[in-house]
Amino acid sequence: MVLCCCCTSTSRVVTQFFLFLYCKCLWRGLKFVVRKITGRCELQRICYNNKPGARRTLKIESSLRYSKNELCQSALSVHPDCVEKTVDNIMTLKKINPDTNPQLSISLQASLFQIVGYRGLVAEVEKLRREPYDCENLKHEEMLMKLWKALRPDSPLTGRISKQWCEIGFQGNDPKTDFRGMGLLGLHNLLYFAEHDKATALQVLQDSLQPKQRSIPKEASKMSKAEWEQKNFDKAIGYSFAIVGINITDLAYSLLVSGALKTHLYNVAPEMPNLIHFQQTFCYLMQEFHRFWIEEDPCDIMEFNRVRSKFHRRVLRQLKNPDMALCPHFAASDLHLVNL
């Protein structure tokens, strides 16, 4: 019986191997035939048959990654200063005349800038995430104080260590402990939201602090006080603003490093995606999660992980559409917020 299982496993591996070889050879053969018929290489067909943005750049990225030529493969990781030279080398390699194909060079450069820009953005975001909050670092402390002043402009902070931090959604008296998971990235995102879209950030904060009174059933008047408390009809569904902001930072980070965010960023950044694009995306995700939380109408904060997972799946579904741009013309203040 064991021998039979081993034989079956070996047979499956051999079958998959030959299937891989067949598909690989067939794919290269088809590319050769299509080029002979159309007179254009794969990169030309992609650039001429797809509109600018994710639909084009994702296909160019795939074509270069799976190319058998090292020059094409290495193009995905070149320095931005070398993009123009790299495109010239690729066109020479593919025997494409730049004089008769001027638009091709422009299109390839634009897409390659997006590709290397995305890689650079991942590295920059990762660096911020790995940098821990240091209360001895004056720049870190200044950012934290700016966050407080932006969200609580009329309430002076009584001390660096204070219960007041709970008013903007931190868990304890010292916010530095809450930045452990996302490092400085969480603080950068929260501060960007509070400063660049202050009205919306203040509205979300205000809503998050308010409980929502559930509808009172007709039989409530017949309940005793103990029965009423047990039913918890007046359970708050607010959440901790800062903690949720750090959590949504983690969600945005996971979308970025997994590559899921390429669809959005390739559609909104005509050249190189940068940190501001990422922070704008975070702001959008914050307010969309706020709206989603209200729509889900959870019983209490204990349902946070369920709601977050459901929200994450919805965003992933949206990003599967190559034409998707989560916030094509970002202006968070213009987006309607549903108040609690």
Side-chain angles (χ1 to χ4, degrees):
M1 185 68 178
V2 175
L3 183 61
C4 181
C5 291
C6 290
C7 291
T8 302
S9 177
T10 303
S11 176
R12 186 183 299 112
V13 171
V14 172
T15 301
Q16 291 176 345
F17 175 72
F18 281 107
L19 182 63
F20 167 77
L21 287 179
Y22 173 76
C23 291
K24 188 172 183 179
C25 293
L26 179 63
W27 173 63
R28 295 199 183 282
L30 285 174
K31 285 178 63 177
F32 176 80
V33 171
V34 173
R35 174 156 191 171
K36 288 296 183 181
I37 294 175
T38 63
R40 293 176 175 177
C41 70
E42 184 178 45
L43 290 176
Q44 286 176 294
R45 296 195 300 273
I46 292 173
C47 288
Y48 293 146
N49 298 334
N50 295 276
K51 64 180 182 180
R55 192 174 285 275
R56 175 190 290 172
T57 300
L58 287 171
K59 290 181 179 180
I60 288 177
E61 189 173 14
S62 177
S63 177
L64 294 174
R65 176 176 291 112
Y66 295 109
S67 173
K68 61 182 179 180
N69 187 277
E70 291 185 5
L71 171 63
C72 293
Q73 294 175 5
S74 63
L76 298 174
S77 56
V78 299
H79 189 276
D81 293 342
C82 300
V83 166
E84 187 175 353
K85 178 63 175 176
T86 300
V87 169
D88 290 341
N89 292 338
I90 290 175
M91 293 187 69
T92 300
L93 174 70
K94 299 291 184 179
K95 299 178 180 179
I96 301 172
N97 188 337
D99 295 328
T100 57
N101 294 271
Q103 187 58 42
L104 179 63
S105 177
I106 297 173
S107 299
L108 278 177
Q109 281 189 43
S111 291
L112 204 52
F113 271 123
Q114 288 187 318
I115 294 167
V116 300
Y118 192 95
R119 288 175 62 92
L121 175 59
V122 171
E124 185 177 6
V125 166
E126 182 63 29
K127 183 179 179 181
L128 286 173
R129 188 188 74 85
R130 289 179 176 274
E131 184 175 356
Y133 183 90
D134 182 5
C135 57
E136 300 296 326
N137 188 314
L138 291 180
K139 290 184 178 180
H140 295 188
E141 288 288 286
E142 287 174 2
M143 288 178 63
L144 186 60
M145 292 303 110
K146 285 182 180 179
L147 179 63
W148 173 265
K149 290 177 182 178
L151 295 175
R152 278 288 184 261
D154 301 323
S155 301
L157 194 62
T158 58
R160 170 63 179 77
I161 308 298
S162 170
K163 291 183 179 179
Q164 287 178 283
W165 290 111
C166 296
E167 295 177 18
I168 60 174
F170 287 103
Q171 290 182 321
N173 297 345
D174 191 351
K176 74 173 185 179
T177 59
D178 293 324
F179 291 121
R180 289 173 183 168
M182 284 288 108
L184 272 193
L185 184 63
L187 179 55
H188 270 272
N189 279 352
L190 284 170
L191 183 57
Y192 185 92
F193 188 28
E195 289 188 335
H196 289 79
D197 195 26
K198 190 169 185 177
T200 306
L202 289 173
Q203 183 65 67
V204 173
L205 173 61
Q206 180 183 346
D207 291 348
S208 71
L209 294 171
Q210 296 176 0
K212 177 181 178 181
Q213 303 295 325
R214 294 183 180 278
S215 58
I216 302 176
K218 294 181 180 179
E219 61 272 17
S221 58
K222 301 178 183 179
M223 292 182 184
S224 66
K225 183 179 179 180
E227 289 175 325
W228 173 261
E229 292 177 349
Q230 185 177 2
K231 288 289 184 180
N232 285 325
F233 283 110
D234 59 343
K235 191 176 292 183
I237 66 165
Y239 53 76
S240 300
F241 176 86
I243 296 300
V244 168
I246 294 171
N247 203 287
I248 296 301
T249 293
D250 176 68
L251 187 150
Y253 168 78
S254 68
L255 292 173
L256 181 73
V257 298
S258 69
L261 211 53
K262 285 180 179 180
T263 302
H264 163 67
L265 291 178
Y266 288 166
N267 283 328
V268 300
E271 293 184 350
M272 295 177 63
N274 56 47
L275 186 60
I276 292 178
H277 291 112
F278 179 76
Q279 291 173 321
Q280 290 176 344
T281 304
F282 163 77
C283 295
Y284 174 82
L285 291 173
M286 271 292 286
Q287 56 190 301
E288 283 300 298
F289 178 79
H290 179 72
R291 191 199 314 273
F292 190 75
W293 177 269
I294 295 168
E295 292 174 353
E296 285 295 299
D297 194 23
C299 290
D300 55 34
I301 195 62
M302 298 304 292
E303 290 196 66
F304 178 81
N305 287 337
R306 176 190 66 80
V307 177
R308 181 194 183 278
S309 296
K310 188 173 180 180
F311 177 71
H312 190 186
R313 291 194 298 271
R314 190 183 76 167
V315 175
L316 284 174
R317 285 196 300 271
Q318 291 175 324
L319 291 172
K320 288 182 179 180
N321 177 2
D323 297 319
M324 171 56 64
L326 295 176
C327 39
H329 306 292
F330 183 80
S333 297
D334 296 334
L335 297 178
H336 177 63
L337 279 176
V338 181
N339 295 329
L340 286 173

